[in-house]
Amino acid sequence: ALLRLPQLNAIFSLGAGVDHILSAPRPKEVPIIRLLDAGMGSQMADYVLHWAIHFQRDFDRYLLDQHQKKWAPRPYRDNRSLRCGILGLGVLGGRVAEGLLARGYPVLGWGRSPRTVEGVTCYQGADQLDRFLEQTELLISLLPLNEGTRGFLNRRLFERLPLQAVLLNLGRGGVLNSADLLQALDEKRLRAAVLDVFPQEPLPSSDPLWHHPSIYITPHIGAKTLVAPAAEQIINAIDILTEGGRPAGQL
């Protein structure tokens, strides 16, 4: 459809991801602009905070105890002892970091290029990835999908995390190697995984991810684009493009 629009001046993604546009036939000279937040940041921060509390307070283990009619209070674990690591320190990653820091969680971040986020211990590049991973107990992936990140969450990466770490994948489904995840969970290397995104959505009912007791699945609801802030961003970007400028979010 994009190739049939001879006067196309810009392509807007109604979300933070653009892999669906990059993989489509399109006029290569036309700029692509993605949304930077549009109400998604606070939703994503809440989603991550929910799961941070869930595992910090051992609610996953208490649910198992309930099924076994087992009464077994555990020692309280302080927020400051759960080290949260964010893969992908873009706009959404920054908002997630703010939410975690506000509740007292120590936050680390990693990206391919240098980033500075107040209060976050930042790492960058392949040579610093292992240092980031070995300190991370709650790994939050907000990575985009491209040739450099496809299958990035794999066995080698899981082996660099502390034993019984937890994975949250909120970026793109193709970043995760599902077979390696299932193996890491079966071997008890990972404690649990929370998955909100998948290569095929809806996730097929036959997919083994549905059935693993240590996997929590949500149907791509970590953050939804809100109409009013999205429209405001797009209008502003159109004004900037019309004046010959480069809007925020342009690839």
Side-chain angles (χ1 to χ4, degrees):
L2 295 174
L3 293 175
R4 297 198 298 269
L5 301 171
Q7 299 185 58
L8 190 64
N9 291 311
I11 302 169
F12 290 90
S13 174
L14 296 181
V18 294
D19 47 283
H20 59 299
I21 298 174
L22 294 175
S23 62
R26 68 187 194 284
K28 301 301 182 184
E29 71 280 1
V30 175
I32 299 171
I33 299 101
R34 63 186 180 88
L35 296 178
L36 296 179
D37 190 326
M40 292 181 284
S42 60
Q43 298 174 64
M44 192 72 79
D46 287 347
Y47 184 100
V48 171
L49 185 59
H50 166 87
W51 290 107
I53 295 170
H54 182 87
F55 293 108
Q56 172 217 341
R57 296 295 307 274
D58 288 320
F59 290 137
D60 59 326
R61 290 165 175 156
Y62 287 126
L63 286 171
L64 292 174
D65 289 348
Q66 178 183 342
H67 295 316
Q68 300 172 20
K69 302 180 179 64
K70 180 180 177 182
W71 187 277
R74 291 171 171 80
Y76 173 74
R77 182 178 185 184
D78 190 88
N79 301 33
R80 291 170 294 183
S81 70
L82 180 65
R83 298 186 303 276
C84 302
I86 301 172
L87 287 169
L89 279 176
V91 174
L92 293 181
R95 293 295 301 275
V96 168
E98 290 174 8
L100 290 168
L101 289 167
R103 291 298 298 266
Y105 293 98
V107 180
L108 304 87
W110 180 87
R112 292 191 178 278
S113 56
R115 295 270 186 173
T116 301
V117 179
E118 186 176 354
V120 177
T121 304
C122 294
Y123 298 87
Q124 60 276 330
D127 58 333
Q128 295 187 12
L129 179 60
D130 284 356
R131 285 171 56 199
F132 162 80
L133 293 171
E134 66 190 16
Q135 302 176 71
T136 296
E137 294 177 84
L138 182 71
L139 180 64
I140 303 144
S141 175
L142 293 168
L143 293 172
L145 180 61
N146 52 51
E147 289 311 307
T149 62
R150 189 176 300 278
F152 190 85
L153 302 175
N154 56 30
R155 182 177 180 83
R156 182 196 177 281
L157 182 142
F158 300 147
E159 289 175 346
R160 299 302 185 274
L161 293 167
L163 196 62
Q164 288 284 283
V166 175
L167 169 69
L168 274 65
N169 187 24
L170 310 175
R172 283 292 181 264
V175 171
L176 173 66
N177 183 316
S178 297
D180 285 0
L181 172 64
L182 290 167
Q183 184 175 358
L185 291 168
D186 287 341
E187 294 173 351
K188 306 300 182 185
R189 164 148 290 282
L190 293 182
R191 171 177 171 180
V194 178
L195 307 178
D196 187 53
V197 290
F198 306 90
Q200 182 180 345
E201 296 181 358
L203 184 65
S205 58
S206 59
D207 196 296
L209 294 174
W210 281 115
H211 311 296
H212 200 286
S214 297
I215 291 179
Y216 300 80
I217 288 174
T218 54
H220 206 147
I221 50 80
K224 293 292 185 181
T225 302
L226 302 182
V227 173
E232 185 177 349
Q233 276 192 43
I234 292 171
I235 291 167
N236 183 57
I238 289 173
D239 288 342
I240 294 171
L241 286 168
T242 301
E243 295 168 1
R246 182 184 178 89
Q250 180 174 332
L251 301 189

